[in-house]
Each structure stands twice: as structure tokens, then as C-alpha cells.
Amino acid sequence: MDIALGIVLLAASSTLFTAAVRIRARANPHDPFPFWSNPPVRPPRANLLQGLAGAALILGGFVLFPALGFFTALLFAAATVAPALAMLGHNRAAVA
């Protein structure tokens, strides 16, 4: 049960982070996302989604770690793939 709950929380986190990236991409259509800072326009809705995603990611980690141990880090990495790909896709389109 704990493993299923943790995986659902990580999946929700990935979905929320991706939604936040897509909202920011629509607000900054011609500006690429900077690597170490924030884009010029940050809609409040995207900030809220990113905060909820971070909370879900951490809570999922706390739920999964007793059952999976170090392998929780691999699931964390897997949860960041979709938002990273969305960000990279936006940066390629904004530069081109």
C-alpha cells in the first residue's frame, strides 16, 4: 500500500511540474528558460502548481523510502524526466 501511494504521489508531482512548465512556456513564448534562474514572466498559477508538485515529491519520498531505500532516488529521477523534456522542448522552440 505504501509503495502504491508513493508512486501515485511521484506521478502527481511529475504531472504538476509539467503543467507548471507548460503554463510558464505559454507566458514566455519567445524567451528560453534560464538554467539557474526564473523566466521573465512567472504566472502565480504556475508558482502554485510548482509548490504543490514539490510537496507531493517530498511526501512521496517519505512514503517510499522505508520500503525501497536508495531506489527511491531512482524514482525521483524518473519523476523529473517529463518536466525536463517539456522545458528543453520549449527552449529549443524559443531559440529557433
Side-chain angles (χ1 to χ4, degrees):
M1 181 65 184
D2 289 342
I3 294 175
L5 175 64
I7 289 174
V8 166
L9 285 169
L10 291 183
S13 172
S14 180
T15 303
L16 290 171
F17 268 132
T18 304
V21 167
R22 291 175 54 98
I23 290 169
R24 285 196 182 120
R26 274 185 262 143
N28 300 288
H30 303 294
D31 297 322
F33 290 153
F35 190 67
W36 290 110
S37 63
N38 295 313
V41 178
R42 291 184 63 193
R45 197 171 61 163
N47 293 340
L48 176 67
L49 287 176
Q50 187 174 357
L52 291 172
L57 185 73
I58 291 172
L59 186 59
F62 278 131
V63 169
L64 282 173
F65 190 76
L68 298 180
F70 176 74
F71 293 107
T72 304
L74 297 176
L75 293 175
F76 263 54
T80 61
V81 169
L85 289 177
M87 204 175 298
L88 288 172
H90 169 72
N91 283 351
R92 282 190 177 189
V95 171

